Amino acid sequence: MERTIYMDNAATTKPRKEVVEAMMPYLEEYYANPSSMYGIAMENQKVIQDSRKLIADTLGAESEEIYFTAGGSEADNWALKGVAHANREKGRHIITTKIEHHAVLNSCKQLEEDGYEVTYLNVDEKGRIRLEELEDAIREDTILISVMAANNEIGTIEPVWEAARIAKARGVLFHTDAVQMYGQMPMDVRQLQADLISVSGHKFRGPRGSGFLYVRKGTKICPFINGGGQERGMRAGTENTAAIVGMAKAAELAIRTMNYRIRKETYQRNYLIRRILNEIPRVRLNGHPYYRLPSNANFCFEGIEGESLLILLEMKGICGSAGSACTTGNTEPSHVLIAIGLDEQTANASLRLSINEDITRKELDYVVEILKESVQSLREKSG
Ligand SMILES: *Cc1c(COP(=O)(O)O)cnc(C)c1O
């Protein structure tokens, strides 16, 4: 078998070598608890603050506005529940979208059980929310609007800059799950008027279990984990220094290589899309032709099962995804594909290929050939 062609970067990414190297000293040598009072502990405290500053700078934020978490799901849970709890005297209405990640959707579900009311915005057939619908959904008692920056399944980029301005004008807090956008596209809190931003380290070649929540100064939010005074009393627990250092290194490299990656990935991704649409019959591209993450391609192949296609691709060394990774193993069609108007059968015939900048033309040509064969053979089998 050929070597693995990894096209599932929206699920997770391979940590960069420099990231792993930056982490090692904090696992092997500087293992002390950052709160202790001797040299190797102080070294920990210092590198955590340096990492916080580095990450704040990538967003045009202040160090005090960055809170480290153990990933994107935690940041999403904290943003929603922390704001809901802190502002419950003001109101109990929250607005989000039908295409959010389950970390947001299931936090909303939990809040509904706790007596909050949630409005789920529709998206158009390309996956974008409509700003008029957002405007109309805002009420006296709305305390939070949460709209993802870019969708993890179909790659659609949402109008979060405009949505955040609307929220601000109406005096409502705005959160965005930017797990898919941070490190891939430029983001700056001086332009993006969000109050809260969720980020995950392992989506931009940092370590799994790292992440942060940006909280704009003055935002009313409750602590998420009670305990020691870590993260200024907002998120207790002995700091995972190695993960924090690794994520900061990944952020630094993501920013430094961003322009190159955007150009390269867009070019390669467009080539892949063009060939698949031209050479495979009865296929549709899901998502937006223009407002789209450079790394994302998502298709539906009429008359096949996405899961069966994945198995055939896997046998040829190609890693992709049918639906989002978090829902793999359950047969429910993707809530995102349903929200853009697909019927269940079409939604179950989907394939997401998410690339990084290292993919070559030769690999893409191989993938297209295998896809052609596999789709044809599955269609012949099902008659
Ligand atoms: C991956 C992902 C998450 C979850 O992040 P974890 O660090 O894996 O918890 C949340 N939102 C989106 C959009 C994602 O793609």
Side-chain angles (χ1 to χ4, degrees):
M1 196 170 77
E2 312 253 329
R3 75 182 183 91
T4 299
I5 303 181
Y6 185 73
M7 300 180 84
D8 204 12
N9 286 280
T12 196
T13 58
K14 180 179 173 178
R16 287 180 190 274
K17 212 165 130 280
E18 298 93 321
V19 167
V20 177
E21 281 167 4
M23 292 172 72
M24 285 315 284
Y26 296 93
L27 297 167
E28 290 184 330
E29 248 181 284
Y30 301 105
Y31 50 81
N33 188 320
S35 301
S36 302
M37 294 307 284
Y38 25 80
I40 52 173
M42 310 283 201
E43 164 61 24
N44 262 258
Q45 205 42 260
K46 181 178 182 310
V47 81
I48 290 170
Q49 289 319 323
D50 291 348
S51 301
R52 202 184 303 280
K53 172 80 168 70
L54 190 155
I55 284 177
D57 284 347
T58 66
L59 274 174
E62 305 286 330
S63 281
E64 309 85 71
E65 296 175 311
I66 304 296
Y67 294 87
F68 292 124
T69 68
S73 298
E74 185 188 317
D76 283 340
N77 273 258
W78 184 7
L80 284 143
K81 295 171 187 173
V83 165
H85 194 66
N87 295 276
R88 69 190 185 284
E89 297 311 328
K90 185 174 174 242
R92 306 215 171 169
H93 180 237
I94 294 165
I95 301 172
T96 187
T97 81
K98 289 187 176 167
I99 63 163
E100 298 297 311
H101 189 274
H102 281 107
V104 168
L105 288 180
N106 288 339
S107 292
C108 286
K109 239 185 231 149
Q110 176 71 54
L111 287 168
E112 285 177 305
E113 284 176 26
D114 297 342
Y116 292 82
E117 218 184 305
V118 183
T119 300
Y120 299 89
L121 299 175
N122 294 300
V123 293
D124 64 21
E125 75 287 352
K126 306 276 194 289
R128 302 243 303 169
I129 59 161
R130 298 180 187 85
L131 295 169
E132 315 80 72
E133 194 181 329
L134 170 62
E135 289 259 21
D136 292 345
I138 301 173
R139 317 189 309 211
E140 267 306 287
D141 60 341
T142 306
I143 50 172
L144 177 66
I145 297 170
S146 179
V147 177
M148 70 196 323
N151 183 266
N152 46 305
E153 292 188 37
I154 57 177
T156 298
I157 295 168
E158 296 297 329
V160 278
W161 291 266
E162 295 86 336
R165 276 199 291 274
I166 290 170
K168 194 171 175 134
R170 303 284 290 270
V172 179
L173 293 175
F174 187 83
H175 166 250
T176 186
D177 174 341
V179 168
Q180 290 289 332
M181 180 165 287
Y182 180 87
Q184 316 296 327
M185 315 268 304
M187 283 185 80
D188 190 309
V189 295
R190 288 163 298 199
Q191 277 104 50
L192 175 58
Q193 291 295 312
D195 301 292
L196 306 116
I197 302 176
S198 300
V199 172
S200 169
H202 76 95
K203 301 292 176 77
F204 56 95
R205 305 194 65 177
R208 212 79 50 82
S210 67
F212 67 87
L213 181 65
Y214 160 82
V215 183
R216 192 177 290 274
K217 238 180 273 169
T219 304
K220 254 182 109 180
I221 183 167
C222 288
F224 193 56
I225 301 181
N226 302 114
Q230 295 94 347
E231 301 300 302
R232 281 141 292 150
M234 297 295 279
R235 196 274 186 189
T238 305
E239 296 89 340
N240 188 348
T241 311
I244 290 168
V245 169
M247 174 167 65
K249 177 54 80 177
E252 181 191 341
L253 294 171
I255 301 298
R256 194 188 299 162
T257 60
M258 185 180 287
N259 287 338
Y260 165 75
R261 285 186 294 123
I262 291 175
R263 253 182 294 128
K264 180 93 186 288
E265 287 172 12
T266 304
Y267 182 69
Q268 298 290 48
R269 191 270 322 272
N270 288 349
Y271 173 79
L272 178 71
I273 289 178
R274 203 161 49 238
R275 280 204 63 191
I276 289 176
L277 293 184
N278 286 339
E279 296 174 40
I280 302 183
R282 293 185 290 146
V283 55
R284 57 162 281 152
L285 176 69
N286 299 312
H288 204 284
Y290 175 68
Y291 293 112
R292 181 179 207 107
L293 291 173
S295 53
N296 175 284
N298 188 310
F299 307 94
C300 284
F301 301 94
E302 197 186 307
I304 64 154
E305 288 277 347
E307 296 287 340
S308 317
L309 180 57
L310 268 195
I311 293 167
L312 294 188
L313 295 182
E314 208 277 320
M315 293 192 313
K316 303 287 186 179
I318 301 165
C319 306
S321 160
S324 69
C326 313
T327 50
T328 299
N330 91 33
T331 47
E332 286 283 294
S334 142
H335 65 289
V336 177
L337 298 179
I338 296 297
I340 63 171
L342 303 190
D343 59 59
E344 283 201 16
Q345 198 179 357
T346 308
N348 280 329
S350 73
L351 174 71
R352 178 186 70 189
L353 299 174
S354 45
I355 61 167
N356 73 11
E357 75 275 21
D358 293 334
I359 196 132
T360 64
R361 266 303 152 91
K362 204 161 148 251
E363 289 172 325
L364 291 175
D365 288 333
Y366 172 75
V367 169
V368 172
E369 290 317 313
I370 298 300
L371 251 181
K372 275 201 237 177
E373 275 171 30
S374 308
V375 169
Q376 191 181 357
S377 103
L378 288 172
R379 281 176 177 162
E380 277 163 7
K381 251 185 259 161
S382 66

